[in-house]
Amino acid sequence: MRTPLVLAWLTALWIGTLANWPLWQQLLQLPELDNSAGRLFVLAFMGIVTALHGAVFSLVAWPWLLRPLMVFSLFSAAALAHFMGSYGIVVDPSMVVNIVQTDVREARDLLSLRLLVSLLILGLLPALWLYRSPVRRLGGWRQLALNAAGAVLGLGVVLALGMASFATLAPTMRDHKELRYMISPLNAYWSLGVVAYESQAQPDGPPAVVGADARLLPRSADAKPPLLLLVVGETARAANFSLNGYARPTNPRLQQETDLLSFRQVSSCGTSTAASLPCMFSHLGRNAFLDLKGSQENLLDVLQRAGLAVLWLDNQSGCKGLCDRVPNAQANQPAPAAAALPAGLCDAEECLDEALLHGLDQRLAALPAERRARGTVLVMHQMGSHGPAYYKRSPSGAKPFQPECRTNALQQCPREQVLNAYDNTIAYTDRILAGAIDWLKQQSGQHQVAMLYVSDHGESLGENNLFLHGMPYAVAPREQTHVPLLLWLPPATSAALRLQAGCLAQRIDQPFSHDQLFHTVLGLSGVATSLYRPDWDLLSPCKAH
């Protein structure tokens, strides 16, 4: 029969050693620790992590509280071990936001046999042992004293081992900041607390108004109203676009569009949809947006306030609040007065991105006529290349690269098959964008048409044993932040915008970022506001003044 404190420390020992195996694996792969002194440091750090959990668990080592909290911690650590070990992710506050905002279909893609095995071995087995272990009950004051002693002991061990290994600990934590978000499950608890605190700190009420002075620039009486199609890509990395020099033909149809430009050096606001999407639709730019307290209106609000018709069409897990105040629809919802979606585009779980193109004429006609007469901005939010089940993102008849990885356990597939599955999604995006351009060409008789495509973030495909995305921005690899940006402007639109011939083509290798999106869209749609920064408008340097 063991006291609650002993059971708490035994749980801490299990979690601190076995359940944190991704952390130890990551440490042992660091070149600076590839020696006997480095391996001794890993053992010392294992002691630090175990003692840290022991100190925290000591605080809740009460007979009525211990088992449920320890079981929850065991299963949390087991699940986190699977995802961190399989995909190389870390669990910081931004990742917690992603988890909270994940919908059922995204969560379903993450289920696998390896996850089940991890939950059984690292979670269920110790949980069963813990529930079968009899607990020795002590008096309240005695238990309180023991718990306090256990917490002090744990902190003392952390301090002693930290001082003893400080010469290695300090530079390792400084050079590899992501390691602190791999100490499981305390990383998740801490990050969840940060997210909860920040959400409570947000002021109540509607978002702050921005662009209150937004208005349409004057146009000649015979000018056509603009029709801008803004396509928000998902998890597309610029390096895999043949338009950007990729060796594989992932953009066969777009490469035939002579009026299309691909900007090759574009950086994202974040490494996840939850981080990037609100940032890229803000006028502030990434640096100022990170310091923003409270919520603000976004690009869609400004466009609508100026008098344009705005529609957000989604094939993802939502618009992250961006489209709450403008007309919006899901891709699986048939357009008003349009035929039903063709068979095969949608199933019970999700839709292919071609569903976004269905019934566009009807969706456009359903918007207020007086607004459409001034101009329209249609936003399409793709499912794109969302992983890890890349094979689900392209239809069976549009998979030029074979064989492809057909599981969400990417680490089980040869990397060539992972690349095939991912590149098939890029090739399918090429088909979607080409179809969108074809539709815009049909509208060119009544509208001044243009298309702007940009992805929200990139993706790791096994480089340095990393998969997926969501790494802290400061340490994220370029694969997760280097995104494609495409601009299609037919000659009539270029002339209406007074663009100098060949000027934009000379800018495709200049460094840009999501900071330019808000201001470039204002320039394309003819909206004036004091928020507008011409130096952040991709087109402004090329306009004849």
Side-chain angles (χ1 to χ4, degrees):
M1 186 173 293
R2 299 178 176 87
T3 66
L5 183 64
V6 171
L7 292 176
W9 271 84
L10 289 174
T11 305
L13 179 62
W14 178 273
I15 289 177
T17 54
L18 297 179
N20 267 277
W21 67 264
L23 174 58
W24 314 132
Q25 181 184 66
Q26 183 70 15
L27 281 171
L28 290 171
Q29 290 176 349
L30 296 179
E32 60 266 38
L33 299 182
D34 188 19
N35 50 57
S36 56
R39 287 185 281 275
L40 283 176
F41 166 72
V42 173
L43 289 175
F45 197 55
M46 191 177 296
I48 291 173
V49 171
T50 299
L52 183 61
H53 281 88
V56 174
F57 291 169
S58 293
L59 300 177
V60 294
W62 298 91
W64 54 274
L65 190 60
L66 175 72
R67 282 174 170 152
L69 289 183
M70 293 303 98
V71 168
F72 179 78
S73 295
L74 287 167
F75 277 100
S76 298
L80 292 168
H82 164 74
F83 290 114
M84 290 192 295
S86 297
Y87 301 116
I89 65 170
V90 297
V91 183
D92 63 344
S94 64
M95 182 60 71
V96 167
V97 173
N98 293 332
I99 294 170
V100 171
Q101 295 184 355
T102 295
D103 63 10
V104 174
R105 62 181 175 179
E106 291 176 343
R108 189 185 297 113
D109 283 350
L110 295 171
L111 302 179
S112 67
L113 180 61
R114 288 172 65 98
L115 173 59
L116 178 61
V117 171
S118 182
L119 291 174
L120 288 176
I121 295 176
L122 295 177
L124 182 60
L125 289 180
L128 290 175
W129 175 85
L130 184 64
Y131 262 91
R132 295 185 62 180
S133 297
V135 179
R136 180 183 175 188
R137 296 180 177 271
L138 304 174
W141 287 107
R142 187 180 178 189
Q143 187 66 64
L144 178 62
L146 281 176
N147 292 355
V152 171
L153 173 64
L155 294 177
V157 172
V158 169
L159 181 61
L161 290 176
M163 294 180 63
S165 60
F166 187 78
T168 305
L169 178 65
T172 301
M173 292 294 104
R174 182 187 65 242
D175 297 338
H176 305 281
K177 296 181 175 63
E178 71 276 11
L179 293 175
R180 69 189 69 181
Y181 291 112
M182 295 185 69
I183 301 174
S184 172
L186 294 184
N187 57 345
Y189 299 163
W190 169 264
S191 298
L192 184 61
V194 170
V195 171
Y197 172 79
E198 291 180 347
S199 64
Q200 291 297 319
Q202 298 287 344
D204 295 330
V209 173
V210 298
D213 60 342
R215 58 183 175 83
L216 293 177
L217 292 169
R219 297 197 301 263
S220 61
D222 60 345
K224 299 174 184 177
L227 171 56
L228 172 62
L229 176 57
L230 173 57
V231 183
V232 180
E234 169 65 35
T235 321
R237 49 193 241 172
N240 289 59
F241 274 54
S242 55
L243 286 167
N244 296 331
Y246 188 47
R248 286 179 150 187
T250 52
N251 304 126
R253 292 185 59 179
L254 290 177
Q255 285 183 312
Q256 299 175 22
E257 296 291 342
T258 57
D259 300 321
L260 182 77
L261 293 174
S262 177
F263 294 84
R264 301 174 180 175
Q265 304 298 330
V266 180
S267 300
S268 65
C269 276
T271 61
S272 66
T273 303
S276 278
L277 212 56
C279 175
M280 62 198 288
F281 277 74
S282 168
H283 70 284
L284 294 171
R286 181 176 185 273
N287 292 334
F289 183 82
L290 293 177
D291 295 330
L292 178 64
K293 304 300 182 184
S295 60
Q296 287 185 345
E297 292 180 344
N298 62 81
L299 173 62
L300 304 183
D301 298 292
V302 175
L303 295 172
Q304 184 165 258
R305 181 170 294 116
L308 296 174
V310 180
L311 174 64
W312 179 286
L313 190 55
D314 208 299
N315 193 33
Q316 253 270 21
S317 57
C319 64
K320 314 304 180 189
L322 295 175
C323 64
D324 290 350
R325 295 168 297 279
V326 303
N328 59 85
Q330 289 290 323
N332 62 358
Q333 300 170 350
L341 290 169
L345 279 188
C346 299
D347 57 25
E349 297 180 4
E350 63 182 74
C351 291
L352 293 166
D353 278 334
E354 277 179 281
L356 292 167
L357 301 177
H358 184 71
L360 286 180
D361 290 336
Q362 292 82 358
R363 293 191 189 279
L364 208 63
L367 297 173
E370 67 278 8
R371 287 184 173 272
R372 284 189 285 115
R374 305 184 193 108
T376 303
V377 176
L378 171 59
V379 185
M380 289 182 178
H381 189 199
Q382 284 186 284
M383 177 59 83
S385 304
H386 197 288
Y390 304 123
Y391 68 96
K392 292 183 178 181
R393 309 286 100 87
S394 59
S396 58
K399 295 179 181 292
F401 307 108
Q402 294 291 340
E404 68 173 0
C405 179
R406 297 192 60 82
T407 175
N408 57 5
L410 300 177
Q411 67 283 355
Q412 293 182 353
C413 292
R415 187 165 184 271
E416 294 76 14
Q417 293 185 17
V418 175
L419 281 174
N420 286 344
Y422 183 84
D423 284 345
N424 285 334
T425 70
I426 302 299
Y428 186 54
T429 288
D430 174 81
R431 174 168 146 179
I432 302 304
L433 296 180
I437 290 174
D438 289 342
W439 176 75
L440 286 171
K441 290 176 180 177
Q442 297 171 14
Q443 311 301 315
S444 60
Q446 298 80 37
H447 298 89
Q448 174 188 305
V449 295
M451 185 193 76
L452 180 63
Y453 164 87
V454 62
S455 183
D456 58 353
H457 55 80
E459 186 86 327
S460 289
L461 297 173
E463 299 88 359
N464 299 313
N465 294 318
L466 293 179
F467 290 93
L468 305 184
H469 52 268
M471 289 290 288
Y473 199 90
V475 297
R478 180 169 169 79
E479 291 83 7
Q480 296 188 25
T481 61
H482 183 205
V483 295
L485 189 153
L486 311 179
L487 178 63
W488 177 77
L489 288 177
T493 301
S494 295
L497 293 171
R498 306 191 313 275
L499 295 178
Q500 303 173 41
C503 178
L504 283 176
Q506 298 173 10
R507 291 168 56 79
I508 61 173
D509 288 314
Q510 294 183 17
F512 297 113
S513 73
H514 278 163
D515 292 356
Q516 274 80 31
L517 179 66
F518 182 99
H519 307 273
T520 300
V521 170
L522 292 186
L524 282 168
S525 54
V527 172
T529 170
S530 58
L531 299 178
Y532 172 69
R533 290 185 53 171
D535 57 322
W536 279 8
D537 180 352
L538 290 177
L539 280 63
S540 181
C542 294
K543 290 183 178 179
H545 299 287

